Each structure stands twice: as C-alpha cells, then as structure tokens.
Amino acid sequence: MTAKQRKLLILGAALLAFGAVKFGLIYYWYLHNRQPAAPAAQALSCDIERGACALPGGGALRFSARPSHGQPFEIRLDGVAAEAAPTADFTMPDMDMGFNRYTFVRDGEGWKARAILPMCVSGSRDWQVELKAGKAAYLLPFRVR
C-alpha cells in the first residue's frame, strides 16, 4: 500500500467516525428533547348567536356580536383561571387564511380580545376558532354574516 492510499484510507475512516459521532449526538438530542404532543382540541357545538358557549372545564366563551368579514368584534372569556393569557386562533377549514391569532387581556374577572377576520376571496363563510387556555384547548366552528 502506498503512502497516498494509506492517507486516503485514514481520511475515509476519520470521516466515517465523524459521521457516526454526529449521528449519535443527534439521536441523543432527539431522545432527550422531545416535547409532549399537544392535546387535541375538544370540539364545542354551540350557536354563538344564542349567547355564551359553556366550556367543559368551566367558564364560558362569548362573542359580542356575530362576526363579519373585515369588521372588528370582541370575544369574552369568563370563568377561566389561566396563568398565561389565553389565545384564540381563527382558521378556515381547508383554506389557508394566514395568521389570525389573538391574545386575550385581563378585563375585570374575565378576559377579552378584539378580533377582525379577513375576507375570503372564495366567498366561504365557515370559520373555526381554537381557544387555548392553560392546558385546555377547544374548537368551535361558526359562520360569519
């Protein structure tokens, strides 16, 4: 074996060892830094025009008025004790409407958020809001005017 072949053999072995160490470190990091999967949102079935929607964990979600595209409306969350501010994510089923997350702020004993829904070019009026309060998550489908 020539000196050049020996150098290439050593270089190849070093690259294989480096790859094995890198793989081992990534695998170790993956095993020890996995986040637990977020619980699936619990579906709610209530009519937002008939008043407050009772939440299974206690509390109520209420819209100040039936939402309309491009018009601001207020969402109230009462009877929910949360350490961090709850959030409301508005999405359309099977359509990307961008990022529509609103964070609630304290309002007396409850929470409130002011939201505006964008206009859908397809004319769809079906929306859903995913409410996250602490470890609980709720999904409420609704229609806009």
Side-chain angles (χ1 to χ4, degrees):
M1 182 177 287
T2 66
K4 185 176 181 178
Q5 289 175 329
R6 213 171 317 147
K7 285 181 184 179
L8 287 176
L9 184 61
I10 292 171
L11 179 62
L15 286 174
L16 284 174
F18 176 73
V21 168
K22 184 176 178 180
F23 176 78
L25 290 173
I26 290 171
Y27 184 72
Y28 175 83
W29 178 86
Y30 176 75
L31 285 179
H32 291 88
N33 289 310
R34 286 189 296 178
Q35 299 294 325
Q42 185 173 356
L44 299 176
S45 59
C46 64
D47 186 358
I48 61 171
E49 290 188 61
R50 294 184 184 235
C53 293
L55 302 177
L61 175 68
R62 178 187 332 266
F63 287 65
S64 62
R66 184 172 180 187
S68 180
H69 290 125
Q71 300 297 318
F73 61 97
E74 189 175 279
I75 316 158
R76 292 209 44 89
L77 186 57
D78 296 309
V80 173
E83 293 177 16
T87 60
D89 287 301
F90 290 90
T91 58
M92 257 188 180
D94 303 321
M95 187 164 306
D96 182 7
M97 292 302 289
F99 187 71
N100 295 294
R101 175 177 291 161
Y102 296 90
T103 302
F104 287 83
V105 294
R106 276 266 181 222
D107 184 42
E109 294 294 315
W111 301 87
K112 74 175 182 178
R114 191 167 172 85
I116 299 176
L117 297 178
M119 179 67 77
C120 178
V121 295
S122 74
S124 177
R125 299 186 175 280
D126 296 321
W127 283 86
Q128 58 190 17
V129 60
E130 183 176 1
L131 172 68
K132 294 180 183 173
K135 293 182 180 180
Y138 307 102
L139 187 66
L140 173 67
F142 65 94
R143 290 183 61 83
V144 297
R145 290 189 248 177

